[in-house]
Amino acid sequence: MAQAGEDIKKYPGFMGITIFCLLILYAPLIVVMVYSFNESKSITEWQGLSLKWYVDVFVGPESAKFKEAALNSFSIAITAAIAATIIATSAATGMLRGGAFKGRGLSFALINLPLIVPEIVTAVATLIFFSAIGFERGYLTILVAHIAFCIPFAYMPIAARMQGIEDTYEQAALDLYATKAQAFKRVLLPLLMPGVISGFILAFIISLDDFIITNFVKGAGIETLPTAIFGAVKQGIKPNIMAISTMLLGVSIVMVTVSYFVGKSDQKK
């Protein structure tokens, strides 16, 4: 067993296993990114660098479909992330600052259960629920479903951050005659903000990239980027699909980078 402070890079095979894992994870992404700049329509034949497929995404024959899908994806992801973050923050405050109460353990389990339930099960259950209550499928059903399954993802970093904050700060505010609402707003929330931002970003990325649940609960005539890409791929993989995928990957990288620097700046403080 490795001791604290020991350099694990010296272990035999460590570098080879690391490189192998990195190749499995990132080689397909690199291939997609590289071929999105290919001049050729072929996805296997390289004919030189070009931005034509990125231009095609915005002004090509399928541009209207992808623009509408992108608008749906981003509006749903932003709204769902905001709602999920608010609910997750409220839940974390009640669970971690509300003291002991009956059913606390069960509440923890219910919040975290969607993380381990197969997504296809959640998708089928959500579809059955909407059908049972007569909720017509469309934009709103996607939004409600995304809010519901994004809550646990937003809750994780928020709860982790709150667990690292001593409640003595709030107690001191209360001793200075602040109300509980004032103590939360002026003391706990600013300290909690890095976790809230991380929770929002994680919920946003999960919502933006979701396909399975969206495909089950969306109505006819409405598409998000993942479902639009899937529909286009069924007709054959085209370079413009690679361009869209690369841009989506870029958005995810930017959001993860922002989350990383928010965490780093908080550690420095």
Side-chain angles (χ1 to χ4, degrees):
M1 183 179 293
Q3 302 295 321
E6 189 175 352
D7 188 2
I8 63 172
K9 291 185 290 185
K10 295 180 180 179
Y11 279 74
F14 174 83
M15 187 60 65
I17 294 173
T18 302
I19 294 173
F20 177 72
C21 292
L22 290 175
L23 281 174
I24 292 177
L25 287 171
Y26 296 108
L29 299 179
I30 294 172
V31 170
V32 169
M33 292 173 61
V34 169
Y35 274 89
S36 70
F37 295 98
N38 187 11
E39 173 72 25
S40 172
K41 289 184 178 181
S42 171
I43 61 171
T44 58
E45 181 183 355
W46 180 262
Q47 291 187 356
L49 289 171
S50 175
L51 294 173
K52 63 184 292 185
W53 303 115
Y54 288 88
V55 175
D56 182 82
V57 170
F58 293 99
V59 299
E62 298 179 298
S63 60
K65 177 181 70 175
F66 288 127
K67 287 177 183 177
E68 183 179 358
L71 179 61
N72 289 335
S73 283
F74 279 93
S75 62
I76 289 171
I78 292 171
T79 307
I82 291 173
T85 302
I86 293 172
I87 296 171
T89 303
S90 302
T93 303
M95 299 285 286
L96 302 175
R97 290 295 194 264
F101 58 88
K102 189 176 181 180
R104 189 165 181 258
L106 179 62
S107 299
F108 271 114
L110 289 175
I111 290 175
N112 291 291
L113 185 62
L115 298 175
I116 59 176
V117 172
E119 193 172 1
I120 186 66
V121 175
T122 302
V124 172
T126 307
L127 174 61
I128 293 172
F129 173 75
F130 285 145
S131 300
I133 64 174
F135 201 169
E136 185 178 353
R137 287 185 293 164
Y139 183 94
L140 194 56
T141 54
I142 300 175
L143 179 59
V144 172
H146 280 219
I147 292 173
F149 76 74
C150 281
I151 292 173
F153 294 96
Y155 177 85
M156 288 190 298
I158 294 172
R161 173 63 181 170
M162 189 175 289
Q163 286 174 335
I165 301 173
E166 297 289 342
D167 62 357
T168 51
Y169 297 105
E170 299 138 81
Q171 295 298 329
L174 294 174
D175 288 342
L176 295 172
Y177 306 104
T179 64
K180 289 186 177 180
Q182 289 173 330
F184 174 80
K185 181 179 179 181
R186 299 185 180 182
V187 178
L188 180 59
L189 188 58
L191 294 172
L192 191 62
M193 194 53 65
V196 172
I197 294 173
S198 296
F200 171 84
I201 291 174
L202 183 57
F204 175 84
I205 293 174
I206 293 296
S207 175
L208 185 67
D209 294 343
D210 179 76
F211 168 75
I212 296 177
I213 295 177
T214 304
N215 196 49
F216 270 77
V217 302
K218 74 180 184 71
I222 182 167
E223 299 284 357
T224 61
L225 272 177
T227 60
I229 291 173
F230 179 74
V233 166
K234 288 194 296 184
Q235 301 172 5
I237 300 177
K238 303 176 184 177
N240 62 342
I241 301 300
M242 294 187 177
I244 296 173
S245 301
T246 301
M247 288 188 284
L248 271 177
L249 177 62
V251 171
S252 298
I253 291 173
V254 168
M255 299 299 285
V256 171
T257 303
V258 170
S259 178
Y260 171 78
F261 281 110
V262 167
K264 290 287 286 186
S265 63
D266 180 62
Q267 289 177 2
K268 291 180 181 179
K269 291 179 182 179

